Amino acid sequence: MSAGTEQSSGGAAIEDGTEPTVGRRAFITGTVAAATAAGATAAGGTAAAQGEAYQGWFDDVDNYEGTVDYRGEDEVTVAVGAGDAGVLFDPPAILVDPGTTVVWEWTGVGGTHNVVHEPGEEGEAAFESDMYESEGETFEFTFDVEEGIFPYFCSPHRAVGMKGAVAVGNVDDELIEPSGGGSGGDGGGGQPLTTVDRILAGSGLLIGVALILAVVRPDTLNPDRD
């Protein structure tokens, strides 16, 4: 336990047309293409950063979008059993200062869960909780190191991507500001954009393009107009 100290709650443990018109259309097409390319570039950049920081640890984690920056907080809470099926940690990746205590709090969804550090091929696990199922159970660990990355998982649901990581001091990844002004310890702060959020944003772009088309070529929406 050289990396820090851990503590569990007191509950019982259980085992994501004309020349001018053609020009306008070309402009609109170019705009959409540029937006699409920008989205692809952003996605690629995130994947590249992820590879550098976590070496593919989050490849199968649905709600991973980057690392939520909780530096400056003494205590941070991570939900255990997030998502519709209750098989996610939320937020999955966090950045904290040395000496910060991370509290994992069970939601009561998804069955029994635990929190287990993945030390790699060499070394011992720095922390491991008991198995809990009930809402409100907690497990905490204080990261008394200057710098490092601590990947972890839920033993029963590791195969379906229930994994997380705590980065201490610094991390080479896309940093996300916590929601609600950066308050740690509430279990709901720092949620990154989900796939649904991105789809909705894309739909808004398509609606904007349709409105532009209606302005530059109104006959496309009203062919009977003189």
Side-chain angles (χ1 to χ4, degrees), residues 96-120:
V96 300
D97 288 324
T100 299
T101 297
V102 176
V103 179
W104 287 270
E105 182 172 354
W106 274 246
T107 66
V109 181
T112 57
H113 304 296
N114 65 349
V115 178
V116 183
H117 172 226
E118 172 59 77

Side-chain angles (χ1 to χ4, degrees), residues 25 33 50 66 68 88 92 98 115 125-126 137 179 189:
R25 285 182 174 175
Q50 169 186 315
V68 181
L88 295 171
V115 178
E137 298 285 3
S179 61

